[in-house]
Amino acid sequence: MGEPRGAAARAAVMVLAAGACYCLWRLAAGGRRARAQGRGGPGPPSDNSPPVSTHTMDADALQKLIHLLQATDDPLIQEQALITLSNSAAFSVNQDIIRNLDGLSVIGGMLSDSVPEVKEKALNALNNLSMNIKNQEEIQVYITQVCRNVESAPLNSDLQLAALRLLTNMSVTGDYHHKMINSIPCFLHLLSEGTERTQIHVLKVLVNLSANPAMTKHLLRAQVPSLLLLFDSCINRDILLRALAFAANLKKNVNNEDGTIIQDQYSEDSVFFTLCRDSVPFAQKLASLLHHPDTEVKEQVVRILTQ
């Protein structure tokens, strides 16, 4: 009895794959026709069917892709299906459809896949889907796992960056900040060890977290001896602006604590001692940045100094 059931299962996968691949083919064909028309070239003969985009995919096509993810173990098929779902999720109407088809849990389940490329594509899909508040309510159950992906992924890898992008979206409001507390030391470590691109993505998360007074003490306790290196006039502007915004948020929150911050709680190489305890080196950095040619940089410096 086992063999007939196995054959039936394989046949079901093949049917789903065929249907999903047809959807993918139509998407690719539509994109090629649109590009050819945009170039003004003659293009292939018309088949009298309009170009298909991820925006015009209906619920049936999206459901086929979701079912395909559940039915196949082929990482190449999984990647392509996730890419298509990710592209379709750029449109708000599709975000609702995918959620209603239980697609969020299916895509979220791919985060435990052993193939890094599959996890990356799943993170990208969830990132686009997280632009929807109702979707965030479901995606938030994966935040701890996404944080683990940040910590375990190779430094500066596409997988690590994809996880950071999703955390950026999920940290825009303070609803889920508490789920990221244990990863704060990792985030700050990436500021020291990561490339400029990684630093920018980490700072986007840290700026969001620092805007929440409830996260202040957790951020101040973290140790990052090289933090001051970010406040240099020669540093990448995008990094510098975000580092200053991070410091400004923390300084504001500390000043609003009305003396409840106890200095003995923090080590000398903590964020608190580096940025908030009348640090002479930090003050010198800020004084130098007052002469920075960029207006936004100077405005952020003034914001810190006047709090």
Side-chain angles (χ1 to χ4, degrees):
M1 295 294 291
E3 183 59 27
R5 283 200 298 268
R10 287 194 296 273
V13 171
M14 290 176 67
V15 170
L16 284 171
C21 286
Y22 174 69
C23 294
L24 298 176
W25 173 83
R26 291 196 69 198
L27 290 171
R32 286 195 297 271
R33 287 195 297 272
R35 287 193 294 272
Q37 292 165 4
R39 290 193 299 268
S46 172
D47 61 0
N48 295 320
S49 61
V52 180
S53 71
T54 46
H55 177 53
T56 59
M57 288 183 71
D58 59 18
D60 184 60
L62 291 170
Q63 187 170 49
K64 282 184 171 64
L65 288 170
I66 293 168
H67 285 172
L68 179 61
L69 280 178
Q70 294 175 300
T72 183
D73 293 325
D74 187 326
L76 295 178
I77 295 177
Q78 291 172 334
E79 280 188 65
Q80 190 58 60
L82 287 166
I83 289 171
T84 305
L85 287 169
S86 179
N87 291 338
S88 71
F91 302 96
S92 58
V93 62
N94 292 336
Q95 293 169 9
D96 293 329
I97 292 173
I98 292 172
R99 181 184 68 252
N100 293 333
L101 292 172
D102 200 29
L104 296 177
S105 63
V106 174
I107 297 171
M110 308 305 290
L111 296 179
S112 59
D113 197 277
S114 60
V115 180
E117 291 78 10
V118 172
K119 283 194 284 192
E120 177 205 339
K121 302 306 185 297
L123 287 164
N124 289 338
L126 290 175
N127 182 47
N128 283 348
L129 288 161
S130 68
M131 304 302 290
N132 180 306
I133 295 299
K134 288 185 178 180
N135 285 354
Q136 282 198 3
E137 294 173 1
E138 294 190 25
I139 294 172
Q140 57 92 13
V141 301
Y142 302 108
I143 287 179
T144 301
Q145 190 169 359
V146 176
C147 288
R148 287 199 297 266
N149 285 332
V150 173
E151 297 172 16
S152 63
L155 181 64
N156 306 317
S157 64
D158 289 338
L159 174 58
Q160 188 174 69
L161 293 174
L164 287 169
R165 282 193 293 269
L166 176 55
L167 291 179
T168 298
N169 278 352
M170 295 299 295
S171 62
V172 169
T173 68
D175 295 341
Y176 312 117
H177 286 180
H178 62 284
K179 292 176 174 286
M180 305 180 197
I181 289 174
N182 291 337
S183 293
I184 288 175
C186 171
F187 298 154
L188 291 168
H189 173 74
L190 291 178
L191 284 183
S192 302
E193 302 298 328
T195 62
E196 288 187 349
R197 189 167 65 148
T198 299
Q199 289 175 324
I200 289 172
H201 283 297
V202 172
L203 281 166
K204 288 179 180 180
V205 177
L206 289 172
V207 169
N208 287 346
L209 296 179
S210 65
N212 182 358
M215 298 295 292
T216 301
K217 291 183 179 180
H218 300 289
L219 291 165
L220 293 178
R221 289 194 187 101
Q223 299 178 8
V224 52
S226 60
L227 183 60
L228 282 179
L229 295 177
L230 299 180
F231 301 92
D232 196 285
S233 59
C234 64
I235 205 78
N236 179 300
R237 177 182 178 275
D238 289 335
I239 294 174
L240 179 57
L241 281 172
R242 288 181 172 86
L244 288 168
F246 174 67
N249 287 343
L250 289 178
K251 192 77 178 290
K252 176 184 177 181
N253 293 340
V254 168
N255 291 341
N256 290 340
E257 287 286 339
D258 297 326
T260 59
I261 296 290
I262 302 174
Q263 296 186 16
D264 292 343
Q265 295 178 344
Y266 307 100
S267 63
E268 291 188 4
D269 57 354
S270 66
V271 173
F272 173 77
F273 269 77
T274 303
L275 301 182
C276 301
R277 188 185 172 274
D278 298 324
S279 168
V280 173
F282 185 48
Q284 292 173 338
K285 292 281 189 182
L286 294 177
S288 176
L289 289 173
L290 282 173
H291 304 286
H292 197 281
D294 188 273
T295 302
E296 287 187 65
V297 169
K298 287 186 283 193
E299 287 175 351
Q300 286 287 2
V301 171
V302 170
R303 180 188 169 204
I304 296 172
L305 292 174
T306 55
Q307 291 188 73

